[in-house]
Amino acid sequence: MKTSIALTAVAALAAKASAACWSQKLGYPCCSSSSAQVWFTDNDGEWGVENGDWCGIPKAESCWSQPLGYPCCTSTSTAVYTDGDGAWGIENGDWCGINGNSSQGSTPNVGNDENPVIGSQYTHSGNPFKGHKFFINPYYTAEVDAAIAQMSNSSLIAKAKKMKEYSNAIWLDTIENMNNWLERNLKTALAEQNQTGKTVLTVFVVYDLPGRDCHALASNGELLANDSDAARYKTEYIDVIEEKLKTYISQPVVLIVEPDSLANMVTNLENTPACRDSEKYYLDGHAYLIKKLGVLKHVAMYLDIGHAFWLGWDDNREKAGKVYAKVISSGSPGQVRGFASNVANYTPWEDPTLSRGPDTEWNPCPDEKRYIEAMYKDFKSAGIKSVYFIDDTSRNGHKTDRTHPGEWCNQTGVGIGARPQANPISGMDYLDAFYWVKPLGESDGTSDTSAKRYDGYCGHATAMKPAPEAGQWFQKHFEQGLENANPPF
């Protein structure tokens, strides 16, 4: 210690703490920088001097998760998953390790079983959504908690808290996210299933085809339409999904397969070069995944069919029957349960104000109910054996302000629709479920015209602005969806 410091060790013991760090418990403030000059080192740590007083130099942050490639949690102590390594939280859209003791958040007693026992083979029989508890997506729960922290309206906060009670799909939209999310959520759902004695259904969206979203810009994927990336799709993505699903055989799983892809094959091959370039990879990718995943007894798959204002016209539905029949046949002996409609879209389930006419460009199926009724007949006529549907009702409870029913980007007037449920409509035995596939609050695409992934639809008059990139949290859109929920919270 320098003699110019007029502070002895005895006097320092009486100094007052002014900041929270390891030295506070000893009665000293924390130095303002972790790079402060070290004047003294003892068993407690490194000491500096500021404002004529000793201060504890902050220790470099480290935790058990860093060697595993994940940061330490800095703002949350809520564990949404626990395994043999420790308790995991979520910050900035990624897993983080929680040091010390952790408390369970909105999914209590779900992730405490570090090594859940995998039971005997589960086999789907009939409606895959029927008779199960729906798994609560921990990532979305964390997003909602962060959204609530930005709210001051007590009524809106109460509605937002309700959102955490309902299930939505987990999107495996990159190879990295698949590796991060698939097994962890399967394991957490299995632990809950073992603890409660009730089967727990987890719904995943398989979404990483080469040349993904060939007719849009906002949600283009990581893999390009070429042979090299097609090989990666198979070996690094589908094969890994297969491996994990083959491990966790005692629980029900539903896969929503590649939103928008086959619908693009029906309508956009002639007018969109990117779709022509992607065609063989879309078709080959579907054949591969159906062969691999469609033979698993505990897995039910639904191929995406766009929505009523995409394939609803007579000629589009007829062509769709041929395309989907061919794709399903190409994946034999794999089986497909059915089809997912309205994924990430806003088309109402029923809209009696719309009819076939100039306002709907003569679409005979101007709402989801009429669309699915028509598609059921057309797909049966096309020779497809298993024709069942689910409808995404996460954002179609309130008629939006779109000038044309085909508008799809961050629509104003959004409202949460019917809650997730099996067999929701009497007399429509082929409608397996209403389900929330697209999480409300996650943006459809950016409104920044200078952004690389800017899509013109996100700049339309009916699109809410300013909007962040696709998949990022959009607080204003989320809050409007709560306000317009139908049925209301």
Side-chain angles (χ1 to χ4, degrees), residues 129 133-144 162-171 181 185 201-205 254 256 390 392-395 416 419-421 434-442 473 478:
F129 286 84
K133 182 186 183 301
F134 296 168
F135 180 67
I136 304 298
N137 181 349
Y139 176 74
Y140 187 68
T141 297
E143 285 188 311
V144 173
K162 286 282 188 181
M163 291 293 288
K164 299 192 292 182
E165 300 176 9
Y166 296 99
S167 176
N168 55 31
I170 298 162
W171 288 62
W181 288 107
N185 286 299
L201 172 69
T202 313
V203 180
F204 296 97
V205 180
V254 160
I256 311 299
I390 68 167
D392 185 357
T393 58
S394 61
R395 308 191 295 178
I416 299 162
R419 313 301 183 252
Q421 56 185 304
F434 286 153
Y435 191 75
W436 291 354
V437 182
K438 171 74 172 183
L440 175 73
E442 294 185 1
W473 190 255
F478 175 70

Side-chain angles (χ1 to χ4, degrees), residues 308-309 312-313 351 353-367 370 399 403-406:
F309 273 91
W313 288 266
D351 189 349
T353 68
L354 293 178
S355 60
R356 186 171 193 167
D359 289 343
T360 61
E361 296 183 357
W362 305 99
N363 185 351
C365 306
D367 58 30
R370 281 176 277 185
K399 192 170 182 178
T403 54
H404 182 274

